[in-house]
Amino acid sequence: MTQQQLIKNLQVPQGIVDVVLDTDAYNEIDDQFAIAYMLLSPERLRVKQLYAAPFHNKKSTSPEDGMERSYNEILKVLDLAGRGELKEQTYRGSRTYLPSETEPVESPAARALVELSKNYSADNPLYVVAIGAITNVASAVLMDPTIADRIVLSWLGGTSHDMPNNREFNLRQDIAAARVVFASGMPVVQLPCRGVVDAFTVSGAELEKWLIGKNPLADYLARNTIAEAESYAAGRPWTRVIWDVTAVAWLLNDGERFMATRLVPAVIPQYDDHYSFDANRHFMRYVYWINRDGLMNELFKKLLG
């Protein structure tokens, strides 16, 4: 892909575009908001497929278990959103993280992405929103490096480039995968979790006022979030970050109404929890500010129909 084409594809798309979502949906409560926001934006986004991403923390016994739980959570949200037809286009993802930067992890999700991407081109790309460890996307790149010319990736992961380390969950789970993606030459939009997108938080009072009891999907999102927050902050004021929504929002960011961005040389995630920088690298788009109220208003408006 030429630099001119790369920069063009790093602009917010116009009109209706095809999109897939790669998500560790059971890991937290924010992936469900992102799934809902994507499904409730048919005027701009045509959802083609969904992929379950691996994760491993206190909510799973292994990356594979996290992926399976995420797969089932995606199906649950699809039912709540009345989009059960997309279940047939929902795929299980990687059962492990990348063993190296040259070895893909075989999965239905990675294979589905490779095959679907063959219907697209640099002039008509497939948009990939990823909100977990980037293993599935990196595996697809390793299976077929030409995919980098046919997709645009909006990934929520890593930290602000000026933080002292990049020790962030989505990135550190599979640093090899992040290195593959950032080195691939594909158009990448990075939404850093810590230091940027962690500004996108919601309060219990907002959830109770605007979402509880309004419809099955809104009610589930609100109650799920409140239950999670009360599990660690009972009796205290709290807000809960729902940052995954922002990776979808970039596709709708006309006039930078939801976030501010700039072009920068693609960063190099290192295994010692730091970035390296090379001014000669190809460009990526970096999100450095979130319009919290503007995006929250848009999200709630769509959830309420």
Side-chain angles (χ1 to χ4, degrees):
M1 182 181 294
T2 66
Q3 179 167 284
Q4 182 179 11
Q5 184 70 57
L6 177 70
I7 293 173
K8 177 183 177 183
N9 287 4
L10 285 169
Q11 304 298 319
V12 173
Q14 301 301 304
I16 301 176
V17 297
D18 290 354
V19 61
V20 300
L21 179 66
D22 186 72
T23 168
D24 56 350
Y26 194 78
N27 171 41
E28 289 192 278
I29 51 77
D30 53 330
D31 297 74
Q32 296 88 334
F33 280 92
I35 296 170
Y37 187 39
M38 179 175 284
L39 295 175
L40 294 170
S41 301
E43 76 284 359
R44 296 287 298 277
L45 307 178
R46 188 162 40 226
V47 182
K48 304 297 288 185
Q49 295 177 348
L50 299 99
Y51 312 134
F55 76 91
H56 186 203
N57 59 18
K58 65 181 181 180
K59 287 192 172 183
S60 68
T61 59
S62 67
E64 179 177 1
D65 180 58
M67 182 276 295
E68 286 287 347
R69 290 173 183 268
S70 294
Y71 176 81
N72 291 326
E73 184 71 6
I74 294 169
L75 301 184
K76 182 176 183 177
V77 176
L78 289 175
D79 277 336
L80 287 167
R83 295 296 303 274
E85 79 280 2
L86 283 171
K87 289 182 178 181
E88 293 184 359
Q89 299 302 320
T90 300
Y91 297 87
R92 289 178 168 86
S94 306
R95 288 175 164 78
T96 64
Y97 304 123
L98 288 193
S100 74
E101 294 177 34
T102 60
E103 301 170 86
V105 178
E106 185 67 45
S107 73
R111 287 293 173 188
L113 178 55
V114 169
E115 291 304 311
L116 181 63
S117 75
K118 292 177 182 178
N119 299 315
Y120 299 86
S121 66
D123 290 323
N124 178 37
L126 173 67
Y127 289 85
V128 179
V129 175
I131 50 179
I134 202 68
T135 313
N136 293 334
V137 178
S139 292
V141 171
L142 292 172
M143 291 171 180
D144 180 5
T146 67
I147 195 175
D149 292 330
R150 303 190 297 270
I151 67 174
V152 176
L153 174 65
S154 174
W155 182 48
L156 182 112
T159 66
S160 163
H161 293 179
D162 57 4
M163 292 194 73
N165 65 67
N166 61 13
R167 206 173 299 126
E168 180 277 324
F169 186 70
N170 288 351
L171 175 60
R172 66 178 169 81
Q173 285 189 103
D174 199 341
I175 297 173
R179 287 171 62 87
V180 167
V181 167
F182 280 110
S184 69
M186 75 169 64
V188 175
V189 180
Q190 184 190 15
L191 297 102
C193 294
R194 293 177 55 228
V196 178
V197 187
D198 47 7
F200 193 62
T201 62
V202 67
S203 69
E206 288 173 312
L207 294 169
E208 290 174 356
K209 175 178 176 60
W210 296 105
L211 298 187
I212 283 184
K214 299 302 190 290
N215 60 61
L217 177 59
D219 192 68
Y220 174 70
L221 296 174
R223 294 185 186 280
N224 194 34
T225 304
I226 291 171
E228 179 72 13
E230 290 292 334
S231 71
Y232 62 82
R236 293 184 284 122
W238 57 263
T239 62
R240 179 74 185 193
V241 66
I242 53 172
W243 40 27
D244 286 348
V245 173
T246 63
V248 178
W250 177 76
L251 296 171
L252 310 172
N253 192 40
D254 309 86
E256 300 212 323
R257 59 188 179 128
F258 298 141
M259 60 194 71
T261 72
R262 60 175 175 260
L263 292 175
V264 299
V267 294
I268 307 169
Q270 300 290 0
Y271 291 99
D272 64 354
D273 295 330
H274 291 82
Y275 293 116
S276 290
F277 302 92
D278 181 351
N280 295 313
R281 295 258 282 185
H282 59 278
F283 282 120
M284 57 172 273
R285 187 163 292 280
Y286 172 68
V287 175
Y288 64 88
W289 176 78
I290 297 295
N291 177 0
R292 185 268 180 197
D293 288 356
L295 180 53
M296 194 66 71
N297 181 67
E298 169 88 353
L299 174 64
F300 278 21
K301 182 178 179 180
K302 290 194 172 183
L303 286 171
L304 294 174

